[in-house]
């Protein structure tokens, strides 16, 4: 096989990376639902956190940006077997489908509210919006798409100043772009915009452009570019964070000891992802991607299964975790009516402040959930492989 084509080992490596991200992502959701401070505490607050709690949260920061980036990269790889028109239509329709899944399926999985008091726009919505936008702009020259992605990545934090000058009081359309909010809809229904899409869309564009390295550049040169780009991203993060100015709305501050100062330094904004958040996560990820070889051992093959069915895994594991959390809530003596009241000011049902388990139990539940998910993911992966003629499977 020509080295300038997408080879099987490289695709397996991407599946492995995506699968690894899915496994780590489940840790964050397990902590949310089962840790005693999961839904009310801030695990990155230097004053209240512990090293293991901080690490448990921060390591999961890699999940969303890597998944969005790989979604863009996968779109480029698809461009090698689809025409521009076919790819554009697929990205737009799949993007709209993901938004619908987020509003209908994940809103329920997120809140367990059968009345849909809160519609939640989170991970799948941002990916869907990014796909739809990418589907519209893939007709542009490659360099223009790359430039647009870089402008969004480096420039979107300029909007922080406008938001600060208005004390966060901006039109609703602005919130979809760049500011987390809960918007009133009708009656008792609200819209929780958790993942504004602008910066995620810019990252997906850069992932799409990065795909060119996997089809048009020799592997050795590609890995060198990935490593240098990752190193530059880390350098940008360190430099701008030390300056304590542009790139993140919240500044870091010196704490009572070096460890807590480091915690403050590394506490960058995810919602929406700031420039420094993306540099701190994507820099190491690009270096890691450059070092990945053929994922051929047994553990790699197992993890790759999760990476080949990411949407299935995402929805099912989230439902499993949240339903299990609701069962433990009821088992502690709470009533169904109490559960439906939820947490004040938050969209979560069947949760009470301060109730839950320590991190050891959280990690045990996480590992058990990942193990339980494997046979279902393996079954679905085999089903997709054996039914490639079913076009609708590409949307799942």
């Amino acid at each position: 096989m020509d080295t300038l084509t997408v080879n099987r080992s490289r695709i397996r490596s991407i599946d492995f990376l995506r699968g690894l991200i899915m496994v780590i992502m489940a840790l964050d959701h397990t902590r949310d639902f089962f840790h005693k401070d999961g839904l009310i505490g801030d695990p990155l607050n230097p004053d209240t956190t512990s090293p293991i709690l901080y690490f448990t949260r921060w390591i999961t920061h890699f999940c969303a940006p890597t998944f969005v980036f790989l979604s863009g990269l996968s779109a480029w790889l698809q461009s090698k077997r689809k025409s521009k028109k076919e790819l554009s239509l697929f990205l737009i329709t799949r993007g709209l489908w993901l938004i619908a899944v987020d509003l209908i399926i994940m809103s329920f999985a997120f809140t367990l509210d059968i009345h849909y008091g809160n519609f939640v726009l989170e991970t799948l919505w941002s990916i869907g919006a990014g796909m739809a936008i990418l589907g519209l702009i893939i007709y542009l020259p490659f360099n223009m798409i790359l430039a647009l992605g870089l402008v969004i990545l480096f420039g979107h934090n300029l909007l922080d100043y406008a938001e600060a000058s208005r004390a966060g009081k901006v039109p609703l359309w602005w919130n979809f772009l760049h500011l987390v909010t809960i918007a009133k809809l009708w009656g008792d229904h609200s819209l929780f915009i958790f993942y504004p899409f602008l910066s995620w869309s810019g990252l997906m564009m850069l992932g799409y452009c990065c795909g060119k390295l996997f089809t048009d550049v020799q592997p050795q040169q590609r890995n060198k570019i990935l490593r240098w780009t990752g190193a530059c991203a880390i350098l940008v993060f360190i430099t701008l964070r030390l300056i304590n100015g542009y790139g993140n709305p919240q500044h870091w501050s010196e704490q009572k000891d070096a460890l807590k100062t480091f915690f403050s330094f590394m506490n960058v904004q995810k919602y929406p992802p700031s420039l420094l958040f993306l540099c701190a996560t994507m820099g190491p990820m690009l270096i890691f991607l450059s070092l990945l070889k053929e994922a051929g051992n047994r553990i790699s093959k197992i993890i790759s299964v999760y990476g080949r069915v990411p949407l299935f895994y995402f929805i099912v594991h989230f439902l499993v975790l949240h339903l299990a959390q609701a069962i433990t809530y009821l088992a502690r003596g709470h009533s169904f009516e109490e559960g439906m009241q939820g947490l004040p000011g938050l969209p979560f049902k069947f949760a009470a402040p301060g109730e839950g388990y320590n991190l050891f139990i959280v990690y045990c539940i996480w590992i058990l959930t990942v193990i339980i998910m494997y046979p279902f993911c393996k079954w679905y992966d085999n089903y997709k492989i054996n039914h490639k003629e079913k076009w609708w499977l590409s949307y799942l």
Side-chain angles (χ1 to χ4, degrees):
M1 179 181 289
D2 187 344
T3 56
L4 296 183
T5 62
V6 184
N7 57 69
R8 287 181 178 271
S9 65
R10 182 53 56 177
I11 295 299
R12 283 196 293 267
S13 296
I14 293 174
D15 285 338
F16 168 75
L17 177 57
R18 188 186 288 112
L20 183 61
I21 288 301
M22 303 304 286
V23 170
I24 296 173
M25 175 190 64
L27 174 60
D28 194 38
H29 297 153
T30 307
R31 182 194 57 81
D32 279 337
F33 292 134
F34 289 97
H35 189 243
K36 57 186 178 181
D37 295 323
L39 296 175
I40 57 172
D42 179 5
L44 301 181
N45 184 344
D47 295 326
T48 58
T49 191
S50 65
I52 183 62
L53 179 59
Y54 193 97
F55 171 81
T56 300
R57 173 55 176 149
W58 211 99
I59 191 66
T60 63
H61 275 350
F62 288 97
C63 299
T66 302
F67 194 80
V68 171
F69 185 83
L70 292 181
S71 295
L73 195 155
S74 296
W76 174 273
L77 298 182
Q78 290 185 63
S79 72
K80 297 304 162 182
R81 58 179 186 271
K82 285 184 171 76
S83 67
K84 277 279 175 62
K85 182 178 180 180
E86 289 172 335
L87 180 60
S88 175
L89 180 61
F90 173 74
L91 291 174
I92 293 172
T93 53
R94 190 165 194 263
L96 295 175
W97 162 246
L98 288 178
I99 294 173
V101 169
D102 217 18
L103 284 170
I104 299 171
I105 299 176
M106 290 308 299
S107 287
F108 173 74
F110 199 77
T111 65
L112 288 186
D113 183 0
I114 59 176
H115 303 296
Y116 281 89
N118 286 280
F119 292 94
V120 184
L121 293 177
E122 42 118 28
T123 310
L124 295 185
W125 134 262
S126 63
I127 295 174
M131 280 188 178
I133 293 170
L134 185 59
L136 293 172
I137 68 171
I138 58 171
Y139 294 100
L140 297 176
F142 175 87
N143 289 339
M144 190 173 295
I145 298 174
L146 177 60
L148 182 58
L150 289 172
V151 167
I152 293 174
L153 175 70
F154 285 96
H156 77 90
N157 280 120
L158 291 172
L159 301 179
D160 297 336
Y161 301 104
E163 293 163 5
S165 68
R166 294 168 173 79
K169 297 178 180 178
V170 297
L172 181 60
W173 61 265
W174 185 297
N175 293 108
F176 286 104
L177 285 176
H178 199 255
L179 191 63
V180 173
T181 193
I182 299 180
K184 193 72 173 176
L185 294 177
W186 69 90
D188 295 329
H189 299 276
S190 300
L191 179 66
F192 187 8
I193 304 174
F194 197 44
Y195 271 64
F197 72 85
L198 180 62
S199 43
W200 295 116
S201 297
L203 181 61
M204 186 174 292
M205 294 174 198
L206 295 178
Y208 176 80
C209 294
C210 182
K212 190 178 180 68
L213 296 176
F214 289 81
T215 58
D216 299 5
V217 177
Q218 296 285 350
Q220 186 175 1
Q221 180 65 15
R222 173 183 63 230
N223 292 333
K224 182 178 179 180
I225 294 173
L226 289 174
R227 283 193 292 272
W228 276 106
T229 304
C232 287
I234 295 173
L235 182 61
V236 168
F237 164 74
I238 294 174
T239 303
L240 291 182
R241 196 59 170 155
L242 286 172
I243 294 173
N244 224 7
Y246 181 76
N248 199 78
Q250 297 82 32
H251 293 171
W252 66 278
S253 60
E254 187 173 348
Q255 304 292 311
K256 60 184 180 181
D257 58 53
L259 181 61
K260 291 187 181 297
T261 299
F262 175 76
F263 286 166
S264 177
F265 187 87
M266 295 301 298
N267 187 10
V268 283
Q269 179 178 282
K270 181 181 178 181
Y271 308 107
S274 66
L275 167 62
L276 296 189
F277 174 91
L278 293 175
C279 287
T281 53
M282 293 305 300
M285 191 283 294
L286 290 174
I287 295 174
F288 182 71
L289 182 59
S290 74
L291 299 175
L292 277 180
K293 304 300 181 182
E294 181 175 347
N297 62 59
R298 182 170 177 78
I299 294 179
S300 298
K301 288 179 179 178
I302 290 174
I303 292 177
S304 296
V305 170
Y306 301 120
R308 290 195 293 272
V309 291
L311 182 59
F312 176 86
Y313 175 95
F314 182 80
I315 294 174
V316 175
H317 100 281
F318 207 100
L319 278 168
V320 167
L321 284 171
H322 207 171
L323 287 171
Q325 182 257 353
I327 291 171
T328 59
Y329 172 86
L330 296 173
R332 288 194 293 268
H334 295 286
S335 67
F336 186 86
E337 289 72 22
E338 285 180 301
M340 287 302 298
Q341 292 176 7
L343 293 171
L346 293 173
F348 305 103
K349 307 297 181 183
F350 301 97
E355 291 190 3
Y357 308 95
N358 60 38
L359 277 178
F360 176 77
I361 300 298
V362 168
Y363 271 79
C364 290
I365 296 172
W366 165 55
I367 294 171
L368 180 62
T369 301
V370 172
I371 292 173
I372 290 174
M373 285 297 301
Y374 180 76
F376 297 100
C377 292
K378 183 65 175 177
W379 166 81
Y380 184 59
D381 182 37
N382 289 334
Y383 183 83
K384 290 183 68 174
I385 292 173
N386 296 325
H387 295 83
K388 291 183 179 180
E389 74 283 358
K390 298 183 184 296
W391 61 271
W392 50 268
L393 285 173
S394 61
Y395 286 82
L396 301 175

